[in-house]
Amino acid sequence: MAWFMDSKAIAARTLVQAAVVALVALSVWAVLRGTQVFLVAFAGILLAVLLRTSANWLSAKTPLTPRWGLAIVVVAPLLLAAAAIWLLAPDIAKQASALADRLPEAVRQLKDQLARSDWAGPLMAQKERLQDALPGIPGASDAFSASSAFGMAGRAFSTTFGALGNLVIVLAIGLFLAIAPQAYIGGLLRLLPLHRRARARQVLAETSSALASWLLAKLTAMVVIGVLTAVGLSFIGIDLALVLALLAALLSFIPNIGPVIAVVPAALIAMVVGIDKLGWVIALYVAVQAFESYVLTPVLQQKLLDLPPALTLSVQVLLGVLAGALGVILATPLTVALMTMTRMWYVEDILGDHGKPGTDSSGHTQGVVRSD
């Protein structure tokens, strides 16, 4: 009888352990599969925060009601974008076409220079010998080319279609949340116990304020980077200054990684124009990035929570692995939101530490480096 009871207890424990393992595995699978959906929803929340904050500011500065302020905030950028497209679209389209034509030539020149170098030449020769061996296999080269072409076409179509679909969803979520934020916040708070709702509302308000401040600072920095890059490239003598500056401004939304990506096409174009221009272009991008990181961003984000660069980069890598480009783009604002919630719910409420961010419990500054 005792042996039967022991066997029953062991079977029960095994069943519980198996259920826990299955639950953990299911949770990990859900996180991996749902990361893209979560990030799309977060992008919509980010848009709603920007729209609602701008509408509230406009309502506070004018006799307009928040609803009319929101209408102006939504319509005015659309009109400005339409005017900018009407005025600048021909030049941007022409320069974008020229950029697409010149980049292959720049890559070819770079390959030629590398082939003449002592360290890269043997590697490139080995690669060419491997490619030359493919035609020796009957049909291998044609099959490889056909499969690559179909694969690239399929990926391009799915990526474009997916990006457009995500954009529509982000716009819809942002507009619905911006029009009636209290309806969604109230519904979310009703899921919490009564004694937790006031603090949860305070945390959500603080997180929204932090995201709004970060967004406004980042958008301002993007405009400044675009203008400085366009002026600098025009002064150097790069005729594609407008499209390259637009690319630099958009990519500057992604800290750490974006500026590195932006300098690559500019450097390649500079090699086509003249190798002497390459140094000036790289120096320009380094100077603009240094100005943005050490002068502009600290001034614009004086009231923001300090973001450790290592933490921001780690979140970018993690979300990049889980969700691709969308994860890299949204890693920094997501870090801002998570750090604000962690500070208020865990550090202040659970640990009882109500010191200012960047200081220890005695009030001494810890010297956290500000991230852009």
Side-chain angles (χ1 to χ4, degrees), residues 18 27 35 41 46-47 54 96 98 124 154 159 184 203 205 224 242 246 249 254 282 284-285 292 324 337 342 359:
S27 300
T35 302
L46 208 59
L47 176 61
S54 302
M124 297 186 66
T159 300
Y184 299 95
V203 172
V224 173
L242 187 58
L246 179 62
I254 311 173
I282 294 177
L284 170 66
Y285 275 74
E292 190 266 341
T342 302
T359 62

Side-chain angles (χ1 to χ4, degrees), residues 42-349:
F42 179 74
I45 294 173
L46 208 59
L47 176 61
V49 167
L50 178 63
L51 294 176
R52 198 68 201 184
T53 301
S54 302
N56 290 340
W57 178 86
L58 187 61
S59 176
K61 299 295 182 181
T62 63
L64 295 174
T65 63
R67 283 188 174 273
W68 279 106
L70 179 62
I72 293 177
V73 166
V74 172
V75 173
L78 294 178
L79 295 178
L80 291 176
I85 291 174
W86 182 66
L87 293 174
L88 301 177
D91 293 336
I92 294 178
K94 184 185 299 183
Q95 292 191 17
S97 177
L99 180 64
D101 293 337
R102 293 186 191 180
L103 281 179
E105 174 64 20
V107 173
R108 188 190 62 78
Q109 290 187 11
L110 180 61
K111 287 183 177 180
D112 292 340
Q113 293 183 5
L114 291 176
R116 290 193 295 268
S117 65
D118 296 333
W119 62 274
L123 295 177
M124 297 186 66
Q126 183 67 25
K127 179 182 177 182
E128 291 178 357
R129 284 194 294 270
L130 181 61
Q131 292 177 343
D132 293 338
L134 285 177
I137 304 175
S141 179
D142 295 337
F144 178 77
S145 301
S147 62
S148 299
F150 281 114
M152 291 178 63
R155 286 193 296 271
F157 177 79
S158 61
T159 300
T160 303
F161 185 78
L164 291 176
N166 289 339
L167 179 60
V168 172
I169 294 173
V170 168
L171 292 176
I173 292 176
L175 287 176
F176 286 137
L177 289 178
I179 291 172
Q182 294 305 320
Y184 299 95
I185 295 176
L188 180 63
L189 293 178
R190 287 180 65 88
L191 301 176
L192 301 176
L194 289 174
H195 66 282
R196 297 287 186 184
R197 293 180 184 177
R199 179 59 172 172
R201 185 180 293 275
Q202 184 181 10
V203 172
L204 291 178
E206 183 71 19
T207 304
S208 175
S209 177
L211 287 175
S213 299
W214 181 86
L215 268 175
L216 293 175
K218 178 55 67 175
L219 292 176
T220 303
M222 289 171 63
V223 172
V224 173
I225 288 174
V227 172
L228 291 179
T229 304
V231 172
L233 290 176
S234 299
F235 182 78
I236 293 173
I238 304 298
D239 57 341
L240 303 182
L242 187 58
V243 67
L244 291 173
L246 179 62
L247 187 63
L250 294 176
L251 288 174
S252 66
F253 186 85
I254 311 173
N256 304 319
I257 302 174
V260 177
I261 300 175
V263 75
V264 173
L268 290 174
I269 294 301
M271 291 180 59
V272 175
V273 176
I275 196 64
D276 57 316
K277 303 287 187 181
L278 179 60
W280 288 107
V281 169
I282 294 177
L284 170 66
Y285 275 74
V286 171
V288 171
Q289 180 61 27
F291 173 76
E292 190 266 341
S293 298
Y294 298 105
V295 178
L296 183 61
T297 296
V299 171
L300 294 174
Q301 298 184 355
Q302 287 179 355
K303 298 181 180 180
L304 274 188
L305 186 69
D306 288 328
L307 295 179
L311 175 61
T312 305
L313 185 59
S314 300
V315 176
Q316 286 179 326
V317 173
L318 175 62
L319 292 181
V321 172
L322 294 178
L326 184 61
V328 177
I329 293 172
L330 297 177
T332 305
L334 186 60
T335 304
V336 172
L338 292 177
M339 286 189 66
T340 303
M341 294 181 178
T342 302
R343 172 177 59 85
M344 299 184 71
W345 267 326
Y346 179 71
V347 177
E348 294 180 1
D349 293 353

